[in-house]
mmCIF file of all heavy atoms in Angstrom:
data_model
loop_
_atom_site.group_PDB
_atom_site.id
_atom_site.type_symbol
_atom_site.label_atom_id
_atom_site.label_comp_id
_atom_site.label_asym_id
_atom_site.label_seq_id
_atom_site.Cartn_x
_atom_site.Cartn_y
_atom_site.Cartn_z
ATOM 1 N N ASN N 53 36.699 0.712 -9.039
ATOM 2 C CA ASN N 53 36.146 1.026 -10.342
ATOM 3 C C ASN N 53 36.155 -0.271 -11.143
ATOM 4 O O ASN N 53 37.210 -0.876 -11.342
ATOM 5 C CB ASN N 53 36.986 2.104 -11.038
ATOM 6 C CG ASN N 53 36.374 2.495 -12.379
ATOM 7 O OD1 ASN N 53 36.490 1.780 -13.374
ATOM 8 N ND2 ASN N 53 35.688 3.621 -12.390
ATOM 9 N N LEU N 54 34.973 -0.692 -11.560
ATOM 10 C CA LEU N 54 34.823 -1.975 -12.236
ATOM 11 C C LEU N 54 34.234 -1.719 -13.607
ATOM 12 O O LEU N 54 33.076 -1.285 -13.707
ATOM 13 C CB LEU N 54 33.923 -2.901 -11.408
ATOM 14 C CG LEU N 54 33.588 -4.269 -11.996
ATOM 15 C CD1 LEU N 54 34.848 -5.100 -12.206
ATOM 16 C CD2 LEU N 54 32.626 -5.018 -11.081
ATOM 17 N N ASP N 55 35.045 -1.923 -14.635
ATOM 18 C CA ASP N 55 34.588 -1.692 -16.009
ATOM 19 C C ASP N 55 33.997 -0.307 -16.181
ATOM 20 O O ASP N 55 32.989 -0.116 -16.858
ATOM 21 C CB ASP N 55 33.535 -2.752 -16.407
ATOM 22 C CG ASP N 55 34.078 -4.153 -16.292
ATOM 23 O OD1 ASP N 55 35.268 -4.362 -16.594
ATOM 24 O OD2 ASP N 55 33.317 -5.059 -15.880
ATOM 25 N N GLY N 56 34.637 0.669 -15.551
ATOM 26 C CA GLY N 56 34.158 2.041 -15.678
ATOM 27 C C GLY N 56 33.076 2.428 -14.701
ATOM 28 O O GLY N 56 32.677 3.584 -14.631
ATOM 29 N N ARG N 57 32.601 1.495 -13.906
ATOM 30 C CA ARG N 57 31.563 1.805 -12.917
ATOM 31 C C ARG N 57 32.200 1.955 -11.546
ATOM 32 O O ARG N 57 32.980 1.116 -11.128
ATOM 33 C CB ARG N 57 30.565 0.654 -12.817
ATOM 34 C CG ARG N 57 29.464 0.641 -13.834
ATOM 35 C CD ARG N 57 28.291 -0.241 -13.396
ATOM 36 N NE ARG N 57 28.656 -1.571 -12.972
ATOM 37 C CZ ARG N 57 27.988 -2.265 -12.047
ATOM 38 N NH1 ARG N 57 26.969 -1.737 -11.423
ATOM 39 N NH2 ARG N 57 28.361 -3.498 -11.738
ATOM 40 N N ASP N 58 31.832 3.010 -10.853
ATOM 41 C CA ASP N 58 32.351 3.203 -9.497
ATOM 42 C C ASP N 58 31.448 2.520 -8.495
ATOM 43 O O ASP N 58 30.234 2.761 -8.473
ATOM 44 C CB ASP N 58 32.419 4.698 -9.155
ATOM 45 C CG ASP N 58 33.659 5.341 -9.738
ATOM 46 O OD1 ASP N 58 34.755 4.771 -9.552
ATOM 47 O OD2 ASP N 58 33.529 6.389 -10.382
ATOM 48 N N LEU N 59 32.028 1.681 -7.664
ATOM 49 C CA LEU N 59 31.284 1.019 -6.594
ATOM 50 C C LEU N 59 31.935 1.373 -5.271
ATOM 51 O O LEU N 59 33.157 1.439 -5.170
ATOM 52 C CB LEU N 59 31.323 -0.510 -6.794
ATOM 53 C CG LEU N 59 30.738 -1.025 -8.106
ATOM 54 C CD1 LEU N 59 30.969 -2.526 -8.235
ATOM 55 C CD2 LEU N 59 29.245 -0.736 -8.190
ATOM 56 N N LEU N 60 31.106 1.571 -4.272
ATOM 57 C CA LEU N 60 31.611 1.931 -2.947
ATOM 58 C C LEU N 60 32.118 0.680 -2.228
ATOM 59 O O LEU N 60 31.601 -0.425 -2.447
ATOM 60 C CB LEU N 60 30.482 2.558 -2.115
ATOM 61 C CG LEU N 60 29.844 3.808 -2.709
ATOM 62 C CD1 LEU N 60 28.521 4.094 -2.001
ATOM 63 C CD2 LEU N 60 30.779 4.997 -2.582
ATOM 64 N N HIS N 61 33.092 0.880 -1.350
ATOM 65 C CA HIS N 61 33.605 -0.243 -0.559
ATOM 66 C C HIS N 61 32.458 -0.978 0.140
ATOM 67 O O HIS N 61 32.333 -2.200 0.043
ATOM 68 C CB HIS N 61 34.577 0.266 0.522
ATOM 69 C CG HIS N 61 35.902 0.709 0.009
ATOM 70 N ND1 HIS N 61 36.816 -0.145 -0.585
ATOM 71 C CD2 HIS N 61 36.491 1.932 0.027
ATOM 72 C CE1 HIS N 61 37.896 0.534 -0.925
ATOM 73 N NE2 HIS N 61 37.736 1.798 -0.566
ATOM 74 N N VAL N 62 31.623 -0.221 0.845
ATOM 75 C CA VAL N 62 30.594 -0.849 1.670
ATOM 76 C C VAL N 62 29.599 -1.627 0.807
ATOM 77 O O VAL N 62 29.141 -2.711 1.192
ATOM 78 C CB VAL N 62 29.878 0.199 2.561
ATOM 79 C CG1 VAL N 62 29.141 1.245 1.723
ATOM 80 C CG2 VAL N 62 28.897 -0.463 3.496
ATOM 81 N N GLU N 63 29.291 -1.093 -0.369
ATOM 82 C CA GLU N 63 28.294 -1.831 -1.148
ATOM 83 C C GLU N 63 28.899 -3.079 -1.784
ATOM 84 O O GLU N 63 28.186 -4.083 -1.936
ATOM 85 C CB GLU N 63 27.606 -0.937 -2.174
ATOM 86 C CG GLU N 63 28.465 -0.317 -3.214
ATOM 87 C CD GLU N 63 27.723 0.744 -4.024
ATOM 88 O OE1 GLU N 63 26.513 0.965 -3.801
ATOM 89 O OE2 GLU N 63 28.355 1.364 -4.904
ATOM 90 N N THR N 64 30.186 -3.054 -2.098
ATOM 91 C CA THR N 64 30.777 -4.280 -2.655
ATOM 92 C C THR N 64 30.680 -5.410 -1.628
ATOM 93 O O THR N 64 30.387 -6.555 -1.985
ATOM 94 C CB THR N 64 32.247 -4.104 -3.053
ATOM 95 O OG1 THR N 64 33.032 -3.792 -1.886
ATOM 96 C CG2 THR N 64 32.417 -3.027 -4.114
ATOM 97 N N ARG N 65 30.926 -5.071 -0.360
ATOM 98 C CA ARG N 65 30.863 -6.130 0.649
ATOM 99 C C ARG N 65 29.460 -6.683 0.776
ATOM 100 O O ARG N 65 29.263 -7.881 1.030
ATOM 101 C CB ARG N 65 31.368 -5.588 2.012
ATOM 102 C CG ARG N 65 31.477 -6.660 3.100
ATOM 103 C CD ARG N 65 32.485 -7.716 2.718
ATOM 104 N NE ARG N 65 32.509 -8.794 3.700
ATOM 105 C CZ ARG N 65 31.753 -9.884 3.617
ATOM 106 N NH1 ARG N 65 30.893 -10.033 2.591
ATOM 107 N NH2 ARG N 65 31.837 -10.834 4.541
ATOM 108 N N ASN N 66 28.474 -5.832 0.547
ATOM 109 C CA ASN N 66 27.086 -6.289 0.580
ATOM 110 C C ASN N 66 26.649 -6.955 -0.718
ATOM 111 O O ASN N 66 25.530 -7.440 -0.812
ATOM 112 C CB ASN N 66 26.144 -5.106 0.902
ATOM 113 C CG ASN N 66 26.157 -4.732 2.370
ATOM 114 O OD1 ASN N 66 25.480 -5.341 3.196
ATOM 115 N ND2 ASN N 66 26.982 -3.761 2.738
ATOM 116 N N MET N 67 27.543 -6.957 -1.701
ATOM 117 C CA MET N 67 27.223 -7.554 -2.991
ATOM 118 C C MET N 67 27.884 -8.917 -3.166
ATOM 119 O O MET N 67 27.777 -9.506 -4.236
ATOM 120 C CB MET N 67 27.710 -6.622 -4.128
ATOM 121 C CG MET N 67 26.820 -5.406 -4.347
ATOM 122 S SD MET N 67 27.670 -4.060 -5.244
ATOM 123 C CE MET N 67 28.037 -4.835 -6.810
ATOM 124 N N CYS N 68 28.559 -9.393 -2.146
ATOM 125 C CA CYS N 68 29.284 -10.641 -2.303
ATOM 126 C C CYS N 68 28.345 -11.786 -2.660
ATOM 127 O O CYS N 68 27.315 -11.985 -1.994
ATOM 128 C CB CYS N 68 30.075 -10.976 -1.047
ATOM 129 S SG CYS N 68 31.107 -12.447 -1.252
ATOM 130 N N ARG N 69 28.736 -12.539 -3.681
ATOM 131 C CA ARG N 69 27.890 -13.614 -4.156
ATOM 132 C C ARG N 69 28.445 -14.998 -3.851
ATOM 133 O O ARG N 69 27.934 -16.000 -4.380
ATOM 134 C CB ARG N 69 27.695 -13.489 -5.684
ATOM 135 C CG ARG N 69 26.802 -12.342 -6.121
ATOM 136 C CD ARG N 69 25.355 -12.616 -5.817
ATOM 137 N NE ARG N 69 24.477 -11.524 -6.219
ATOM 138 C CZ ARG N 69 24.033 -10.597 -5.394
ATOM 139 N NH1 ARG N 69 24.392 -10.577 -4.136
ATOM 140 N NH2 ARG N 69 23.207 -9.666 -5.828
#
Side-chain angles (χ1 to χ4, degrees):
Chain N
N53 183 283
L54 177 61
D55 302 323
R57 276 199 309 149
D58 279 311
L59 301 174
L60 301 165
H61 287 295
V62 63
E63 61 190 357
T64 63
R65 186 63 185 91
N66 283 278
M67 284 160 62
C68 185
R69 288 287 180 262

